[in-house]
Amino acid sequence: MRGFLGCEGSAQYTAARRLRGKTQLFFRGAILGDAMERPRWPTTLAVVTGLTAIYVAAGKLALRVAFLNPSASAVWPPTGIALASLLLIGFRAWPAVLIGAFLVNLTTAGNVATSLGIAAGNTLEAIAGAWLTRRFASGRDAFERPQDFQRFLVLAGFVSTAVSPTLGVTSLCLGGFTRWSDYGTVWLTWWLGDVGGALIVAPPLILWGSRPRPGWSRLQAVELGAVLLSLCLVGEIEFMGYLLPGFSRYPLTFLCIIPLLWAAFRFGPRETAAAGLVLLIIASWGTLRSRGPYGGFAPNASLLLLQAFMVVTVIVAMRLAAGVAERRRAHEALRLQAAELERSNAELEQFAHVASHDLQEPLRTVTNFVQLLAQRYRGRLDRDADDFIGYVVDGTTRMAQLIDDLLEFSRAGRTDRPMEPTDCRGVLEKALANLAVSIRESGAVVRHDGLPTVRGDPSQLTQLFQNLIGNAVKFRGPDRAEVQISAVRRSGEWLFLVRDNGIGIAPEYRERIFVIFQRLHGRNEYPGTGIGLAICKRIVTRHGGRIWVESQPGRGSTFCFTLPVAETPGAGASGVRLTGP
């Protein structure tokens, strides 16, 4: 062993040193990791103490309006405080709920046993609500989507809130502080107070605790001030009546929903929840002073009616706010995707244009030398060599045509050229001039009715008519090719019809022919690259229209496409201006 340790230069010694170093690092990391993961008890103690003080203060204030039973109040904010604390801080905050509830009830009514029973119910209710919200309603993000808010509404608002009244009222009845005959009434008051705390008090605490920074612009801050002012004004008029005495007797509580809807549409769940809490404070203050639409009832009944009204109103506003927030996020995501798609398409079009343009130079060189080779050495080599040279010439010619068509296809999708009122008669004349040779050689006849003025790109519309008429001439039948072009007005667009008497298209190929490089015939039958109709579809789509074909084999084809109407000064009231042949 001593000899082994003395061989510091040996491989065994180096391996032993590395192993010892890794072992020390492992144990050091484990010890430090445990120390970092373990919460510091002074911090936890401070949090628990602070939450306990807040819980006790809110509980004592709420029990001052416990008219039916000293331990059951129709207004119980501590439920919302406890639920928000467990969702924001974590389950380590539950001792604050237990201690706070125990102190509130012990110093109000009952004994140690009943106070422990009530405190246990309040704590279990908060834990159950927080766990269900985290498990099924996205936790603190429960107010960002309608589906999550609905789960929060049911689980944390209605289900978990039944734990505290059940254990609490049972403890009071067993302790002799409440009669069993009053169990249902006390339970309902208790439960409705907890529901209000969970659905009205907890949401603003959770939302503002998760995102404390407002993030408003100056204009938004001014608008939010207007929302708050209108909310206070409506609440004062309806529930307090100091500005307009006697006005609160009228059933106008529906006005309270207007500021909440304003906040829901223009801002989000956070501001809407805060507005609901402000309205609850104003309405409770007025109702306790026998003002407002519910002030004429018995004290406990008036608070129960107010809580029911507030819960329903806030639920509607928060559900709408969640839907608006989700729609706003979806719109933003679509906007970003559209921008990314537009950028990607622009890059692809630029790549296709550059690649096709750069390919022309070497291809032109190859074509020129091959054609020169064919001219100089035709007949001087054997027959096979002449055929091979012919294949090369034909291949380079088709490749040049393919590159030209790719360039046209990339140009067809460009959006940098402006749309303008375009006379389709002039566009058609240019297309016919470009096709003059093929029309004369085939003996085709092209007729057209009066054509309208549309909003579009003149050069692209020329390419559109040229491709459709060129196809009609190329794919003609045994008879002379006849092409008829017409247009029909349909609401805000023009429907163009290009009819021919050619060979027609089978129904199963009506969609395929508009796909790039898709051909229905061999090159020996009909020349081409299979890009012409794809260019037509790209042009029509860029103009905001649609293109399709109606055809039967052997009966000709009718290519239909739509273009937007151009409102021109000379079009008259109807916006229609036709130019005849």
Side-chain angles (χ1 to χ4, degrees), residues 147-360:
Q147 300 87 341
D148 291 334
F149 176 72
Q150 290 169 186
R151 297 189 187 102
F152 174 84
L153 172 66
V154 174
L155 298 176
F158 295 143
V159 175
S160 66
T161 50
V163 175
S164 179
T166 301
L167 293 180
V169 178
T170 302
S171 300
L172 292 175
C173 290
L174 291 175
F177 293 95
T178 300
R179 293 178 298 180
W180 289 99
S181 58
D182 296 334
Y183 190 100
T185 307
V186 177
W187 189 96
L188 179 62
T189 301
W190 197 314
W191 177 74
L192 196 55
D194 286 1
V195 169
L199 296 180
I200 303 177
V201 178
L205 297 179
I206 296 171
L207 289 168
W208 282 95
S210 302
R211 292 183 293 122
R213 294 186 179 180
W216 306 315
S217 63
R218 182 175 300 178
L219 185 61
Q220 286 178 321
V222 173
E223 184 178 3
L224 189 60
V227 173
L228 183 60
L229 180 62
S230 64
L231 181 67
C232 294
L233 182 62
V234 170
E236 200 284 331
I237 292 175
E238 184 60 23
F239 290 102
M240 302 184 72
Y242 293 110
L243 294 178
L244 297 175
F247 195 80
S248 61
R249 294 196 303 266
Y250 299 102
L252 299 175
T253 52
F254 63 88
L255 294 176
C256 299
I257 194 66
I258 296 177
L260 297 181
L261 296 183
W262 187 357
F265 274 110
R266 295 291 297 163
F267 293 94
R270 183 180 58 173
E271 291 78 7
T272 306
L277 182 59
V278 171
L279 181 61
L280 175 64
I281 295 173
I282 298 175
S284 300
W285 183 271
T287 302
L288 289 173
R289 279 154 181 74
S290 300
R291 296 176 178 269
Y294 308 114
F297 298 92
N300 191 70
S302 64
L303 288 179
L304 289 178
L305 292 173
L306 175 63
Q307 281 291 87
F309 165 75
M310 287 301 307
V311 166
V312 172
T313 303
V314 171
I315 286 175
V316 172
M318 290 295 294
R319 172 61 174 79
L320 181 62
V324 172
E326 185 180 44
R327 183 65 61 86
R328 189 178 292 118
R329 289 192 303 273
H331 181 270
E332 182 64 18
L334 288 177
R335 187 189 66 81
L336 293 177
Q337 291 179 359
E340 178 64 21
L341 182 61
E342 183 178 359
R343 184 193 63 80
S344 178
N345 287 339
E347 291 179 354
L348 288 175
E349 291 173 5
Q350 183 67 17
F351 172 77
H353 180 78
V354 172
S356 301
H357 185 273
D358 292 344
L359 284 175
Q360 285 183 327

Side-chain angles (χ1 to χ4, degrees), residues 86-154:
L86 266 64
L87 285 174
L88 292 174
I89 302 174
F91 290 106
R92 62 191 177 98
W94 70 265
V97 181
L98 180 64
I99 299 172
F102 176 76
L103 294 176
V104 167
N105 288 276
L106 184 63
T107 57
T108 301
N111 52 32
V112 175
T114 57
S115 299
L116 284 175
I118 295 173
N122 291 358
T123 306
L124 291 176
E125 176 183 271
I127 293 175
W131 185 86
L132 291 173
T133 302
R134 288 186 174 184
R135 180 65 177 81
F136 299 103
S138 300
R140 291 181 290 181
D141 297 327
F143 312 99
E144 302 298 329
R145 297 195 312 160
Q147 300 87 341
D148 291 334
F149 176 72
Q150 290 169 186
R151 297 189 187 102
F152 174 84
L153 172 66
V154 174

